[in-house]
Amino acid sequence: MAMQEALPRAYEPADVEKKWFPIWENNGDFHGTADSDKPAFSIVIPPPNVTGILTLGHVLNNTLQDILCRRARMKGFEVCWFPGTDHAGIATESKVVKFLKDTENVTRDELGRDEFINRVWQWKKEYGGKIIRQLRTLGCSCDWERERFTMDDGLSDAVKKVFVALYEKGYIYRGQRMINWCPVAKSALSDEEVIYRDVPGKFYYFRYPLAEGDGALIVATTRPETMFGDTAVAVHPDDERYNKLIGKFVKLPLTDRLIPIVGDLHADPTKGTGCVKITPGHDPNDFEVGRRHNLEVMNVMNNDGTLNELCPAEFVGLDRFVARDLCVKKLEEQGLLEKIEDITHSVGYSERGGVPIETLVSSQWFCKMDELAKPAIEAVKSGKIKFYPERWSKTYFHWMENIQDWCISRQLWWGHRIPAWYNDENGEVYVGMDAPTAPGKWRQEEDVLDTWFSSWLWPFSVMGWPEKTKELEKFYPTNDLVTGPDIIFFWVARMIMAGCEFCGEIPFNNVYFTSIIRDEKGRKLSKSLGNSPDPLDVIAEYGADALRFSIVYIAPVGMDIRYNNEKCEIGRNFANKLWNACRFRQMQGEVSADFNTLPGNLSSDEKWMIAKLDAAVANIESEFEKFRFHAAAHALYDLVWSDFCDWFVEAEKMPMRAGGADKERALAVLDYALFRILKLLHPFMPFITEELAHRMGFVEEGKSIMYTAWPMPDAAAKFDAADTALTDGKFELVRIGRFLRSSYNIPDGKKLNFHIKAAGKAELDFLTEQKASLKLLLNAEDIEISSEAFDSAANGAAPSQLGAMGILSLPLAGLIDVDAEVARLEKQLKDINNWIKSAQGKLSNERFVQNAPAQVVADARASLADLEERKVRTEELLASLKG
């Protein structure tokens, strides 16, 4: 048996957390062995950006992954949780560019490509990966020996191999297409990297004069600066107002160019003026019109969002928004501005750059996705891969069944350089793992691959693919993926496609989408709003276990979380409760020699506790199977706080005071229950449970609670409802007695007399047997247990309440001034009625209900419900006093 170590009076989480993580790591407790005979359980971490720092979103996501891994170890699996970071092309390049400017006043271009990339690697070594170190503070049990980076040599080789394979298969191609462009990052973006926002804007109506004769066509646009890329005006072929003009020309204002009038179904006679300016280089619909009519495609933007030399001289080099204002001013001066309308419209913003994107035609590398998508769609439809919550499958199918080719090239230096080379002498293009050896002047593609092109290979590249490694054989496919719904397209869908294509197997079986964390006002957490706490500060104040438990406790499946730091008091108070329960147990004597086995001849309270424990074990197991982490946390909280601490520990003070065999049995049951509770809690609160398991002597030195057996219902101690119903009824009567005591403001320390009218003979016999226990729990001087009702006429007022076991009454004679209490309650009832009337008036006001924030209305309704409940309780108390 392990040695016990006395617990300090107060729990100090910082000391415990600092102690255990290095012990776990040095003992190799997190390492997954590919040669193990145990069944495998594996997870890959969603690789955070190498530039990232820990956020509450990371806390929730990684806590849930850690819960799954720690539970799996306890269930006998060989667990491997693969950690790592993403090179995050745009984010990292932007950060290092700023860093170099601030520290050395040097630009990327001044350094040159090779030296700049060298500097990024230096920056990554010194500053990158901070978030990985922070995850250790949280207690994450990743296999840190296997930490990977998306630009490690092995992972880079996997990226090249996939690119070459897809190119040879005809899926990857280079072509001119309409793309999304970020002027800040100076790079192409995929559709998924564009965030649409409804913003105020303007509709500008301009007159394009006819080249022959008088008159003009009126066109409308929200982006006047793109007019220099106009190469036609379209009208509907059947629009009698304009179809006679098809084939003629208009003058493009502010230029000396003539552009044709074309007939095209894209022009809708019922919308606007029926005339549409066609800018094939800056609008996807116009691009298609241009293809149909063989129009010139003109890109009038530089890569930084300024206008280029295809524009009139006075516009060249101007920022697009400055150019917009100048266009409008010039057109107004020439009498060509018809009108301006204020509108609200949807504008695409660069997710990374935070500015409106430009749509423009560019030569980029693309990957055809439609064939890759087919097996990935079937994997989810067939149920091989399950989503939790299931509703996200609809979002997945909508995107996958309408999937577009993926723009995979980025105009950056940091990232996986595209393995394509151009022969400047003959125009040949070579794609391969290594540079071409054929004669000629070869030049490698300057662009790098989209960051997600390496991330979609993560579940198998981290295990050494394309080599046939032991890790792949043992741990692929992985079991579960925990991630945010915001990257269902970027990452989840693409990983499924890549797994099916390159490994012939799905990459995981279950996908759990985490909640979005918001503040109390419902706003997403962000630094700009000042509502995003630093998790390390929260850990310093409350402890890692408290933060872990609290954030899971308040995170229901599929619903947003309303967070503030005070909610971590849930976990901190819970940790203190657990600590104090173990400290109380230590004060009663040595831990039982066989704490894994129940003694015989259990009392009714002990049978009740074991039944509650087994029910909780079964319930928690069921909730885990459904990925209902918060429900499992609630079940644990109720088990520990209410069933174990508030009821069982208090009730067991009777046999402990009795001494002898009764005390020995009571302590044995306490130990049995406590160890099982610590094991159930370990995945949620690893530090405190490890500390307590050792201090209590449940786990030997050099070993860890994470490798003890996960609790299952005890088949040898199966108690049915009949074994526990009477004890449930006893505790219900105690709750009634305590409620009546508090209702009349009687101090807890004052001993009272109670009367119980038993519901029947079985109840009478049981309650009589439990009289000493009832007196202890109610702090009673005496309890009269009878088959007769309390005689209020003879003995004075006695408020009472009905329970399953009978009616409990509290005689008030000599305790309170009944007349004064009646007067107090009547005044209280009058006040409550007035408050109810006011609350009902507010909620019956339609303007308040419709215009007030949803949370304010919800709070008002909750307040009214509380008042109505208080009214009922007050009326009941008055009735009991008036007899």
Side-chain angles (χ1 to χ4, degrees), residues 34 55 65 121 334 493 515 570 592 599 609 645 683 687 697 713 728 752 872 878:
T55 67
Q65 292 176 78
W121 278 107
Q334 295 183 19
S515 307
I570 296 169
S592 310
M609 185 64 240
C645 292
F687 294 107
D728 277 326
L752 303 177
V872 170
L878 270 171

Side-chain angles (χ1 to χ4, degrees), residues 167-474:
Y167 179 82
E168 291 175 348
K169 203 169 182 177
Y171 287 4
I172 284 180
Y173 65 95
R174 182 170 173 81
Q176 269 216 339
R177 275 189 41 189
M178 183 66 61
I179 55 125
N180 307 301
W181 184 267
C182 174
V184 172
K186 299 177 185 176
S187 175
L189 304 174
S190 67
D191 290 343
E192 294 72 42
E193 292 170 295
V194 178
I195 308 299
Y196 285 90
R197 303 175 187 166
D198 289 333
V199 296
K202 295 182 184 297
F203 236 138
Y204 301 91
Y205 291 80
F206 300 136
R207 301 169 63 84
Y208 281 19
L210 294 173
E212 299 177 5
D214 297 329
L217 296 183
I218 298 174
V219 298
T221 182
T222 59
R223 300 159 69 206
E225 68 278 8
T226 64
M227 66 178 290
F228 302 119
D230 290 359
T231 53
V233 172
V235 297
H236 196 282
D238 298 331
D239 190 337
E240 295 181 355
R241 294 172 296 174
Y242 309 116
N243 55 10
K244 294 178 182 177
L245 297 174
I246 293 173
K248 298 185 181 297
F249 292 83
V250 294
K251 299 174 184 177
L252 182 62
L254 309 183
T255 74
D256 56 3
R257 289 166 45 210
L258 299 179
I259 56 176
I261 301 168
V262 299
D264 196 278
L265 300 181
H266 174 58
D268 187 343
T270 67
K271 291 183 178 179
T273 64
C275 303
V276 181
K277 64 191 284 294
I278 302 301
T279 319
H282 292 280
D283 183 275
N285 292 318
D286 293 1
F287 180 72
E288 295 303 322
V289 175
R291 289 175 65 177
R292 290 195 288 271
H293 297 276
N294 198 28
L295 299 174
E296 182 181 2
V297 177
M298 297 175 62
N299 176 6
V300 299
M301 293 278 178
N302 293 314
N303 64 7
D304 61 354
T306 59
L307 272 62
N308 64 24
E309 68 281 352
L310 295 179
C311 305
E314 61 185 313
F315 289 90
V316 174
L318 290 183
D319 176 80
R320 52 187 169 157
F321 299 118
V322 175
R324 178 179 299 179
D325 294 339
L326 184 58
C327 277
V328 175
K329 179 184 176 185
K330 292 287 185 182
L331 288 166
E332 185 175 20
E333 289 173 353
Q334 295 183 19
L336 297 177
L337 175 62
E338 183 74 11
K339 62 178 179 177
I340 301 175
E341 291 178 351
D342 290 326
I343 60 169
T344 297
H345 61 153
S346 182
V347 175
Y349 278 73
S350 165
E351 182 188 42
R352 193 60 70 177
V355 297
I357 61 157
E358 285 297 328
T359 47
L360 50 84
V361 171
S362 174
S363 290
Q364 301 287 338
W365 288 88
F366 297 89
C367 182
K368 297 176 183 177
M369 304 300 289
D370 49 355
E371 289 300 317
L372 293 172
K374 288 177 181 177
I377 292 171
E378 180 57 28
V380 178
K381 276 190 175 176
S382 67
K384 287 181 69 177
I385 296 177
K386 293 183 171 63
F387 286 176
Y388 300 87
E390 195 278 331
R391 62 184 170 86
W392 286 110
S393 61
K394 295 178 183 177
T395 306
Y396 174 84
F397 291 135
H398 177 75
W399 186 73
M400 293 288 278
E401 290 167 356
N402 297 278
I403 198 164
Q404 303 296 309
D405 288 1
W406 177 12
C407 178
I408 57 174
S409 49
R410 296 292 181 270
Q411 288 63 54
L412 303 169
W413 285 353
W414 175 245
H416 297 98
R417 194 167 179 178
I418 292 175
W421 287 261
Y422 305 99
N423 189 321
D424 291 334
E425 296 171 347
N426 59 17
E428 183 183 352
V429 177
Y430 170 83
V431 170
M433 293 291 291
D434 301 301
T437 55
K441 188 177 180 181
W442 293 95
R443 170 178 53 85
Q444 188 175 358
E445 169 66 71
E446 293 287 327
D447 291 353
V448 301
L449 287 161
D450 179 8
T451 295
W452 298 101
F453 198 87
S454 52
S455 301
W456 76 325
L457 314 179
W458 187 251
F460 48 89
S461 65
V462 295
M463 300 185 196
W465 186 92
E467 301 299 322
K468 293 182 178 179
T469 64
K470 291 181 179 179
E471 285 76 14
L472 273 169
E473 185 179 349
K474 180 72 174 179

Side-chain angles (χ1 to χ4, degrees), residues 415-629:
H416 297 98
R417 194 167 179 178
I418 292 175
W421 287 261
Y422 305 99
N423 189 321
D424 291 334
E425 296 171 347
N426 59 17
E428 183 183 352
V429 177
Y430 170 83
V431 170
M433 293 291 291
D434 301 301
T437 55
K441 188 177 180 181
W442 293 95
R443 170 178 53 85
Q444 188 175 358
E445 169 66 71
E446 293 287 327
D447 291 353
V448 301
L449 287 161
D450 179 8
T451 295
W452 298 101
F453 198 87
S454 52
S455 301
W456 76 325
L457 314 179
W458 187 251
F460 48 89
S461 65
V462 295
M463 300 185 196
W465 186 92
E467 301 299 322
K468 293 182 178 179
T469 64
K470 291 181 179 179
E471 285 76 14
L472 273 169
E473 185 179 349
K474 180 72 174 179
F475 295 115
Y476 188 89
T478 65
N479 295 75
D480 304 322
L481 176 73
V482 180
T483 188
D486 52 329
I487 54 175
I488 189 171
F489 311 131
F490 288 120
W491 197 46
V492 177
R494 288 171 180 161
M495 281 192 291
I496 298 173
M497 289 186 269
C500 293
E501 175 71 14
F502 299 108
C503 293
E505 286 188 87
I506 57 174
F508 31 72
N509 298 309
N510 304 293
V511 183
Y512 178 82
F513 293 106
T514 58
S515 307
I516 295 173
I517 304 177
R518 302 182 182 276
D519 66 14
E520 288 291 282
K521 297 179 181 177
R523 302 174 301 177
K524 286 187 72 171
L525 300 186
S526 71
K527 288 183 180 178
S528 61
L529 290 174
N531 66 347
S532 183
D534 183 338
L536 295 184
D537 292 340
V538 180
I539 289 172
E541 182 176 357
Y542 295 94
D545 281 338
L547 174 57
R548 288 169 60 116
F549 187 83
S550 300
I551 207 162
V552 175
Y553 186 89
I554 63 173
V557 178
M559 294 176 64
D560 292 352
I561 298 171
R562 296 296 178 97
Y563 177 87
N564 60 48
N565 282 352
E566 287 70 31
K567 290 190 176 177
C568 289
E569 291 178 8
I570 296 169
R572 180 169 63 184
N573 294 342
F574 188 52
N576 288 335
K577 188 84 167 179
L578 185 66
W579 185 269
N580 290 334
C582 288
R583 187 165 175 271
F584 170 81
R585 168 59 191 91
Q586 279 193 346
M587 293 166 64
Q588 311 312 310
E590 291 293 316
V591 168
S592 310
D594 190 4
F595 48 79
N596 282 310
T597 305
L598 280 170
N601 302 316
L602 299 184
S603 70
S604 59
D605 289 337
E606 290 155 0
K607 290 179 180 178
W608 177 88
M609 185 64 240
I610 300 307
K612 289 288 185 183
L613 182 57
D614 280 354
V617 166
N619 183 29
I620 290 164
E621 189 70 11
S622 173
E623 300 296 6
F624 267 123
E625 294 300 319
K626 294 177 284 190
F627 290 85
R628 288 169 48 86
F629 298 96

Side-chain angles (χ1 to χ4, degrees), residues 12 69 171 348 408 485 650 670 757 827:
E12 298 293 344
C69 289
Y171 287 4
I408 57 174
E650 291 302 310
L670 276 170
K757 177 186 180 297
K827 181 181 182 303

Side-chain angles (χ1 to χ4, degrees), residues 706-770:
M706 79 177 79
Y707 285 101
T708 59
W710 179 253
M712 297 300 289
D714 194 332
K718 191 71 177 173
F719 303 113
D720 58 29
D723 293 307
T724 59
L726 292 173
T727 303
D728 277 326
K730 178 182 79 169
F731 290 148
E732 182 189 25
L733 288 174
V734 173
R735 277 192 290 271
I736 291 171
R738 290 174 177 175
F739 168 73
L740 292 175
R741 177 191 287 269
S742 66
S743 297
Y744 294 100
N745 299 317
I746 301 171
D748 291 341
K750 185 174 181 61
K751 288 192 175 293
L752 303 177
N753 294 318
F754 292 93
H755 180 280
I756 299 174
K757 177 186 180 297
K761 186 175 187 311
E763 291 80 3
L764 179 64
D765 293 343
F766 179 77
L767 292 173
T768 301
E769 175 196 319
Q770 294 290 312

Side-chain angles (χ1 to χ4, degrees), residues 638-790:
D638 292 342
L639 172 71
V640 175
W641 194 290
S642 178
D643 296 338
F644 185 75
C645 292
D646 285 358
W647 292 112
F648 182 62
V649 171
E650 291 302 310
E652 286 296 87
K653 288 178 180 178
M654 281 295 301
M656 284 190 283
R657 289 176 183 175
D662 285 349
K663 179 178 181 179
E664 186 177 332
R665 187 196 68 246
L667 293 179
V669 177
L670 276 170
D671 295 338
Y672 174 88
L674 255 180
F675 189 31
R676 286 164 74 82
I677 284 170
L678 291 177
K679 290 196 283 188
L680 288 169
L681 271 173
H682 176 71
F684 295 84
M685 307 177 82
F687 294 107
I688 190 173
T689 52
E690 189 77 86
E691 178 76 0
L692 290 173
H694 281 80
R695 292 248 191 185
M696 296 297 293
F698 295 147
V699 175
E700 295 179 9
E701 187 175 351
K703 295 186 177 180
S704 171
I705 190 174
M706 79 177 79
Y707 285 101
T708 59
W710 179 253
M712 297 300 289
D714 194 332
K718 191 71 177 173
F719 303 113
D720 58 29
D723 293 307
T724 59
L726 292 173
T727 303
D728 277 326
K730 178 182 79 169
F731 290 148
E732 182 189 25
L733 288 174
V734 173
R735 277 192 290 271
I736 291 171
R738 290 174 177 175
F739 168 73
L740 292 175
R741 177 191 287 269
S742 66
S743 297
Y744 294 100
N745 299 317
I746 301 171
D748 291 341
K750 185 174 181 61
K751 288 192 175 293
L752 303 177
N753 294 318
F754 292 93
H755 180 280
I756 299 174
K757 177 186 180 297
K761 186 175 187 311
E763 291 80 3
L764 179 64
D765 293 343
F766 179 77
L767 292 173
T768 301
E769 175 196 319
Q770 294 290 312
K771 183 173 180 177
S773 175
L774 284 164
K775 287 176 66 177
L776 172 71
L777 295 170
L778 284 166
N779 191 26
E781 185 71 40
D782 190 25
I783 302 175
E784 184 180 358
I785 302 170
S786 167
S787 58
E788 302 295 328
F790 181 78

